């Protein structure tokens, strides 16, 4: 450990140079610029002099200073030297364990209970784990003062220190203490609410006072949950009432993670606040409701779809987050291989007919449809969508929301929509005979119809249409092509490792026995230890060829349909997934779980 009980930019830069994370030129450039900047700021003539030096603020850490240059790590990898990478080097330099703080693995109580907020902010420390009387604390300064040990020793707590980046520590302190303050204030200001939604709850009829959904602390708590979900790039927020507590979970890359546990009396006011924002009926707690919220995050609009459902212990809320960057993508970037992309591109350029996108819930059908509509959108065409509900409000399309309660269904809207002179019609889902017949009629009268079906693969969609009562000759004359899709998780590039496929695994995938190199994610700070980061689509594209049209009858078997499609060039989902695995995009485990 260095003798001097502080770290300078020069000391840290030397360590980075020694480890090959800086080139000699970059090292010299850092020192020159830091010296020049220090001279400018210490000049009384500099506009920032009085603010920065006379008021004696907390100086930026060496890791913050060096990372602010956004330098590329030598070696041509294209990776930038981040504050986390620099902090890890500093940890090795001073002989301390390094920890990349993962907010999803922190416990609100552990972070906020042992140390008061002013003390934690002053010394930049955050408790990250607790085991018996041993508390693990993350510090930003490896030479933090003895006050930390003295304060915690009074509480008879043994401590283990780990080094984390200053930015991570400040973010956690602001978010977690802010959320805890909101929750505690809401609890303290109002008396305990009786949970009328809990089927097991004994109701006392005297002294019932619900916390108002307009309470400022509840407003803050809901805002924290939403902004936290946006930062973590969650696709869904689940707020689930249990017997004694309420659980908040986020879905990240298709997998649910526990985030926070909040006191049960606060579940009702938090749900009421969300219902108020999404314009739902606050008084209605016995029926499921749907609503939507439009908000902004980091200067971009975000659409939220809210659903409530009465369960045994109260109302469960699920908020689906629609990020325009995710929902509206270029078609060539969502995972198509060249053959499938060219086929699909040919489908959507046809003047009329039906294109079906199939797959289970959460397989990316909405992204494919919206991305397709954006590709086709132009001032020369009239695009009308019928959705249940409208996923994301887009100015370029004329969107109609289904309202079954007043008779506005897919079928009724489709029948009337033809008078609106559409060129392209998107039907959210073909779920009954009425909708199927209307879609076929629209295609026959010269319109391009895009829709979804819930089937496992592309050939099954034909048997599904036959089951709905659409005659085979009408299917032959209207359907252009069918796309079945799934989403597979991508291997994290930061911890990607190689292995050989075992004989059992080859046999399970019906692969020829030879040495196959496959990859997996070992788990690192970048991917929160999961080994995966992001998702990509896999697509089975079935062209409605002349061979298929000539052999299609009302009594055709699914097996025969699959054989015809594969003879005509269709690559099944499983084979597409195996290709992604062999290319190092996804893992064997994902191939098995998804296909």
């Amino acid at each position: 450990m260095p003798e001097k009980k502080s770290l300078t930019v020069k000391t840290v830069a030397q360590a980075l140079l020694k480890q090959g994370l800086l080139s000699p030129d970059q090292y010299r450039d850092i020192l020159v610029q830091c010296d020049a900047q220090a001279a400018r700021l210490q000049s009384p003539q500099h506009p920032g002099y009085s603010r920065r030096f006379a008021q004696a603020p907390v100086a930026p850490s060496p890791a913050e200073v060096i990372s602010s240059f956004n330098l590329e790590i030598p070696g041509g990898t294209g990776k930038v030297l981040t504050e986390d990478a620099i902090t890890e080097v500093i940890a090795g330099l001073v002989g301390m364990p390094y920890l990349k703080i993962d907010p999803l693995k922190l416990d609100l109580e552990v972070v906020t209970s042992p140390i008061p907020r002013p003390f934690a902010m002053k010394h930049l420390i955050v408790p990250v784990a607790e085991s018996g009387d041993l508390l693990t604390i993350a510090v930003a300064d490896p030479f933090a003062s003895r006050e930390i040990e003295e304060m915690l020793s009074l509480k008879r707590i043994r401590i283990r220190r780990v080094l984390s980046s200053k930015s991570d520590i400040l973010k956690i302190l602001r978010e977690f203490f802010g959320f805890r303050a909101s929750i505690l204030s809401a609890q303290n200001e109002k008396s305990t609410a009786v949970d009328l939604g809990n089927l097991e709850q004994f109701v006392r009829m005297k002294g019932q006072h619900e916390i108002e959904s307009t309470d400022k602390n509840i407003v803050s708590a809901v805002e924290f949950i939403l902004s936290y979900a946006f930062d973590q790039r969650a696709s869904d927020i689940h707020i689930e009432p249990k017997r004694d507590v309420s659980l908040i979970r986020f879905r990240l890359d298709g997998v649910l993670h526990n985030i926070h546990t909040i006191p049960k009396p606060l579940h009702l006011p938090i749900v009421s606040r969300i219902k108020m924002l999404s314009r739902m009926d606050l008084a209605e707690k016995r029926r499921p409701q749907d609503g939507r919220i439009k908000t902004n995050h980091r200067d971009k609009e975000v659409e939220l779809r809210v659903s409530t459902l009465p369960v045994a212990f109260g109302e469960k809320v699920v908020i689906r987050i629609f990020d325009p960057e995710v929902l509206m993508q270029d078609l060539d970037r969502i995972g198509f291989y060249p053959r499938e992309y060219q086929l699909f591109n040919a489908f959507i350029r046809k003047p009329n007919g039906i294109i079906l996108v199939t797959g289970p819930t959460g397989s990316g059908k909405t992204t494919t449809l919206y991305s397709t509509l954006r590709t086709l959108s132009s001032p020369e065409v009239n695009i009308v969508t019928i959705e249940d509900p409208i996923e994301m409000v887009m100015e370029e399309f004329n969107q109609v929301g289904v309202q079954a309660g007043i008779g506005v269904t897919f079928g009724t809207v489709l029948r009337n929509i033809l008078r609106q002179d559409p060129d392209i019609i998107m039907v959210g889902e073909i779920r009954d005979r009425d909708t199927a017949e209307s879609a076929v009629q629209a295609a026959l009268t010269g319109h391009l119809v895009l829709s979804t079906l819930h089937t496992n693969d592309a050939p099954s969609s034909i048997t599904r249409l036959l089951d709905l009562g659409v005659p085979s000759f009408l299917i032959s004359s209207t359907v252009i092509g069918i796309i079945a899709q799934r989403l597979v998780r991508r291997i994290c590039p930061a911890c990607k490792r190689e292995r050989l496929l075992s004989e059992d695994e080859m046999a399970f995938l019906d692969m020829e026995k030879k040495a196959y190199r496959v990859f997996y994610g070992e788990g690192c700070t970048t991917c929160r230890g999961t080994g995966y980061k992001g998702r990509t689509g896999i697509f089975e594209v079935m062209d409605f060829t002349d061979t298929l049209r000539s052999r299609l009858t009302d009594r055709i078997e699914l097996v025969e349909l699959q054989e015809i499609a594969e003879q005509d060039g269709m690559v099944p989902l499983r084979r597409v997934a195996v290709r992604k695995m062999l290319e190092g995009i996804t893992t064997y485990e994902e191939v098995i779980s998804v296909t």
Side-chain angles (χ1 to χ4, degrees), residues 137-150:
I137 60 168
V139 298
D141 179 5
F143 307 114
S145 68
R146 290 179 186 169
E147 291 175 37
I148 299 170
E149 283 92 336
E150 288 171 3

Side-chain angles (χ1 to χ4, degrees), residues 361-556:
T361 303
S363 60
K365 298 189 298 295
T366 303
T367 298
T368 301
L369 286 173
Y370 269 76
S371 300
T372 302
L373 291 178
R374 192 181 71 165
T375 302
L376 296 172
S377 177
S378 73
E380 293 80 36
V381 295
N382 175 21
I383 298 175
V384 183
T385 74
I386 311 165
E387 304 171 63
D388 182 18
I390 295 170
E391 304 281 12
M392 175 167 272
V393 178
M394 300 300 299
E395 249 183 310
E396 297 96 323
F397 320 143
N398 299 293
Q399 296 168 287
V400 181
V402 166
Q403 298 178 66
I406 56 171
V408 182
T409 64
F410 283 117
T412 55
V413 175
L414 250 178
R415 282 196 296 275
N416 289 283
I417 223 168
L418 299 181
R419 298 181 200 129
Q420 290 284 319
D421 186 31
D423 298 294
I424 299 165
I425 303 167
M426 193 269 269
V427 183
E429 185 188 345
I430 293 176
R431 56 175 70 152
D432 53 38
R433 182 172 185 164
D434 190 23
T435 310
E437 287 176 349
S438 300
V440 166
Q441 194 60 41
L444 286 170
T445 52
H447 303 88
L448 184 65
V449 180
L450 289 86
S451 188
T452 70
L453 273 178
H454 284 289
T455 60
N456 289 328
D457 54 26
S460 300
S461 299
I462 297 172
T463 56
R464 175 79 179 126
L465 289 176
L466 290 169
D467 290 342
L468 287 172
V470 181
S472 58
F473 72 90
L474 283 180
I475 296 173
S476 294
S477 55
T478 55
V479 176
I480 303 167
I482 303 168
I483 298 94
Q485 68 177 85
R486 299 286 190 280
L487 291 176
V488 292
R489 290 185 287 174
R490 288 176 173 272
I491 300 169
C492 171
C495 60
K496 196 172 182 178
R497 299 290 181 271
E498 188 182 314
R499 71 177 180 89
L500 289 174
L501 211 58
S502 72
E503 286 194 12
D504 287 345
E505 289 169 339
M506 283 182 248
F508 196 80
L509 293 174
D510 292 325
M511 295 171 72
E512 181 190 341
K513 289 196 176 180
K514 62 178 187 180
Y516 292 103
R517 289 188 315 130
V518 293
F519 298 85
Y520 66 98
E522 202 169 46
C524 65
T525 53
T526 306
C527 61
R528 301 189 180 94
T530 61
Y532 299 99
K533 196 164 198 290
R535 292 190 289 179
T536 186
I538 56 170
F539 300 89
E540 174 182 281
V541 180
M542 179 179 172
D543 187 8
F544 228 88
T545 61
D546 292 337
T547 309
L548 183 55
R549 290 180 207 281
S550 64
R551 292 175 60 181
L552 183 61
T553 65
D554 288 345
R555 295 181 180 178
I556 195 167

Side-chain angles (χ1 to χ4, degrees), residues 1-2 4 6-7 87-97 141-143 163:
M1 188 181 288
K4 189 179 179 184
S6 67
L7 285 170
T87 306
E88 193 167 0
V89 170
I90 294 171
L93 192 66
V94 300
M96 274 180 75
D141 179 5
F143 307 114
L163 192 66

Side-chain angles (χ1 to χ4, degrees), residues 10-24 26-27 72-75 81 84-96 98:
K10 185 175 181 179
T11 311
V12 175
Q14 284 173 344
L16 294 168
L17 177 66
K18 192 174 179 182
Q19 294 200 19
L21 295 173
L22 284 179
S23 69
Q26 289 172 329
Y27 170 72
E72 193 174 308
I73 296 170
L81 190 59
D84 288 325
I86 299 165
T87 306
E88 193 167 0
V89 170
I90 294 171
L93 192 66
V94 300
M96 274 180 75
Y98 165 75

Side-chain angles (χ1 to χ4, degrees), residues 181-247:
S182 299
I183 293 295
L184 287 177
S185 299
Q187 270 188 289
N188 294 334
E189 282 180 12
K190 306 284 182 178
S191 60
T192 304
V194 174
D195 186 4
L196 299 173
N198 186 341
L199 298 184
E200 295 190 337
Q201 184 81 28
F202 175 75
V203 180
R204 293 173 191 252
M205 298 308 292
K206 286 187 178 180
Q208 298 182 25
H209 299 290
E210 292 187 6
I211 302 171
E212 296 295 331
S213 60
T214 51
D215 184 276
K216 65 179 181 179
N217 297 302
I218 292 300
V219 171
S220 300
V222 171
E223 284 183 4
F224 164 82
I225 293 167
L226 294 178
S227 63
Y228 193 30
F230 300 153
D231 285 341
Q232 300 301 322
R233 293 189 67 82
S235 61
D236 300 86
I237 303 168
H238 291 237
I239 302 171
E240 303 176 3
K242 303 298 180 189
R243 183 176 286 110
D244 303 313
V245 295
S246 186
L247 195 62

